[in-house]
Amino acid sequence: MRLTTPGLSGPGSGAAEFSLVSSMLKALMLQAAAASGLRDSFDAREATIDGVHNALFTGLTTCRGVVSSFISRIEEYNPTINAIIGLNPDALSIADELDQRLLTGNTTGKLFCVPVLLKDNYDATPMNTTGACLALAGNKPTADAPVVKVLKSEGAIIIGKVNLHELALEGISVSSLGGQTANPYDRTRTPGGSSGGTGAAIAASFAVFGTGTDTVNSLRSPASANSLVSVRPTRGLISRAGVIPISYTQDTVGPMARSVKDLAVALTVMASVGFDETDNATALVPPEVIGKDYSAELYGGSLKGMRFGALDGFWNHTTSSETTPVNDAMGDMVGFLKSEGAVIVNITDAIYNATEILTTMDVQQLEYREMLDEYLTGPGLQVTAPASFNELYTSGKFVVIPSQYGYVNNAFVSSTGNASYAVRQLAIKNLTNALFSTFSSNKLDAIMYPEQKNLVVKIGSPSQSGRNGILAALTGVPVVTVPAGFSPPSEDAPIGVPVGMEIMGLPFSEGKLLNIASEITHLRPVRKMPISTNRSVETKNYSALPVISPDNGNIAAAYPIGVLS
């Protein structure tokens, strides 16, 4: 029996019949899914972009069902890790609009109905952009940051904003507005930072992927501490406009995900902004990189014959409960790479000392005041917030971390006009040349080292010690972070604390680095879900979004609000 549709006949009508019937069947399937509660059968745990699309296109769920499943997880688990600052009030209505498109077969967009979380220093309407700072609680952008605009244009649903270390100035993810975010693998520890809210939220499957910023370590530290993958892109690859800034020299933006493929798709979309006249670093991108599909770079690779430089100075070779697990995980990773035919070249040059580099070359405190003033006085904000650096830091509405506000105090009197600024910029150029020489003289494909010399620190610690991210931050080269292992299990960490490895390349080699990361994570899968959030959650049928209030009352007494010494 042939199924026909009245009014369709003649040459080519078979294809038209099939298309129309297919659309009708899809509509019936989606309507049945909504009516019978099949949306509950979508499991958001460890969900990928492909997984979301497969569930949508086979009629297993609706876009509203996908979004609701993640919101249900947030409502259930956020009180224990305190990662979410607020939800997007338009998230469900956007999902409904995409469901209407799904009914008609209009599902274009690499991120169609993919839930995404933003670090709360990205401008994204209709939400506020607070930097997790009480003084900026009413800071409302009038337009999306360019990178948010392209995420939305590809069909992503921004479901909310996440906590960060206040204004991204340190690495323990505590803030006056959002409080302290906890690591889901060990809730006595921080989630890394400053993008710790993103790291904790994506590890707990509150979205498919999230965004962060990185001025010293901040995309890579939370990825390392939450068994995730991330990419700090080459300076200029992605526009930084519309993101609360710290340093023109050191700032980047980028994605964090649970899988390398999702990371590659997210990077492809975020980099599609291209040249942006409001961020002239984007003019540095070579023509052959513009419009690149990084997901196409993941296949056909091999670790055999790859030459990896191991920066010996970025290991802490002492024995302790905090350093030994990192050294053991990295030792296992080195052994794995060798077993796959890779060559490990030990790099012992004295210049590769992360502490010394940070002390002598970091330029944040010299650029911060000027950059923040420019953002706060820009045309894209409804001014209900402090309009300058000075106004913000005399408001009494910010959290005080001694390691963080030492350089805030310096920033009151420091600028790019200081004589020390030119000295540091020259040192950065020399460091960059030395790094390129190391690649060349050793014929390296990539450089590897632990993201952090020790496990991510405990809540209440004064700073995130032992991080190695400053080298890439100053030289502007790309880094992909992958899970390397876990510490031994303990009472506080039932499956251990995650340990991550950085893979560094030459400028605009993101495709090569992602290919290496894909090979490593495929042949040596390390990621495990945190036990504290690994239970499935029944999806609620929301008529309105739940209220998610960050717990800013959990800040330790050691972190007073609004006093600069």
Side-chain angles (χ1 to χ4, degrees), residues 76-94:
E76 176 73 16
Y77 289 123
N78 191 62
T80 66
I81 61 174
N82 197 44
I84 306 297
I85 280 186
L87 297 177
N88 180 1
D90 293 344
L92 290 176
S93 62
I94 294 170

Side-chain angles (χ1 to χ4, degrees), residues 51-218:
V52 168
H53 288 167
N54 287 339
L56 287 172
F57 302 155
T58 59
L60 179 66
T61 189
T62 61
C63 188
R64 174 178 268 261
V66 169
V67 172
S68 297
S69 68
F70 284 102
I71 293 172
S72 295
R73 288 189 60 80
I74 292 170
E75 189 175 17
E76 176 73 16
Y77 289 123
N78 191 62
T80 66
I81 61 174
N82 197 44
I84 306 297
I85 280 186
L87 297 177
N88 180 1
D90 293 344
L92 290 176
S93 62
I94 294 170
D96 290 340
E97 292 172 7
L98 295 185
D99 276 330
Q100 291 301 310
R101 284 177 50 185
L102 188 60
L103 287 172
T104 63
N106 179 15
T107 58
T108 56
K110 293 181 177 68
L111 300 175
F112 183 86
C113 190
V114 172
V116 175
L117 284 165
L118 301 178
K119 186 176 182 178
D120 195 19
N121 54 358
Y122 283 65
D123 286 347
T125 59
M127 295 169 282
N128 289 349
T129 306
T130 71
C133 177
L134 279 172
L136 295 176
N139 187 40
K140 197 171 191 66
T142 58
D144 293 328
V147 73
V148 174
K149 185 175 180 179
V150 293
L151 287 169
K152 289 181 177 180
S153 72
E154 289 289 345
I157 299 180
I158 310 302
I159 59 172
K161 294 285 199 77
V162 294
N163 195 28
L164 59 145
H165 191 97
E166 186 156 310
L167 292 164
L169 295 182
E170 235 290 352
I172 52 179
S173 293
V174 65
S175 67
S176 58
L177 183 65
Q180 175 69 65
T181 298
N183 191 310
Y185 292 90
D186 179 349
R187 284 178 284 178
T188 70
R189 293 183 185 267
T190 68
S194 63
S195 308
T198 305
I202 301 307
S205 295
F206 289 172
V208 174
F209 70 87
T211 69
T213 59
D214 190 314
T215 306
V216 178
N217 306 268
S218 299

Side-chain angles (χ1 to χ4, degrees), residues 336-472:
F336 158 74
L337 291 172
K338 288 181 176 178
S339 73
E340 292 297 321
V343 177
I344 308 298
V345 181
N346 197 28
I347 307 296
T348 59
D349 302 43
I351 194 172
Y352 298 120
N353 180 317
T355 302
E356 180 69 14
I357 293 170
L358 185 63
T359 301
T360 60
M361 302 184 203
D362 183 280
V363 294
Q364 293 177 82
Q365 65 185 7
L366 296 159
E367 296 180 338
Y368 181 40
R369 176 164 50 89
E370 296 171 8
M371 296 292 292
L372 188 59
D373 281 348
E374 183 178 357
Y375 171 83
L376 292 175
T377 57
L381 299 179
Q382 294 177 358
V383 183
T384 58
S388 69
F389 172 98
N390 284 10
E391 189 177 337
L392 191 156
Y393 286 113
T394 56
S395 69
K397 297 180 179 180
F398 46 85
V399 70
V400 176
I401 311 295
S403 63
Q404 171 181 339
Y405 285 99
Y407 70 73
V408 170
N409 275 321
N410 289 338
F412 271 105
V413 295
S414 300
S415 73
T416 57
N418 289 33
S420 60
Y421 183 69
V423 173
R424 290 184 177 232
Q425 287 289 358
L426 178 59
I428 291 170
K429 289 181 181 179
N430 291 337
L431 177 66
T432 305
N433 290 335
L435 180 62
F436 292 171
S437 178
T438 296
F439 268 93
S440 176
S441 62
N442 293 283
K443 298 180 172 58
L444 300 179
D445 292 288
I447 285 175
M448 57 174 285
Y449 48 88
E451 199 292 320
Q452 194 155 316
K453 298 180 181 75
N454 44 265
L455 297 178
V456 67
V457 300
K458 292 278 190 175
I459 289 173
S461 299
S463 66
Q464 193 66 249
S465 61
R467 296 188 297 174
N468 289 319
I470 187 63
L471 179 60

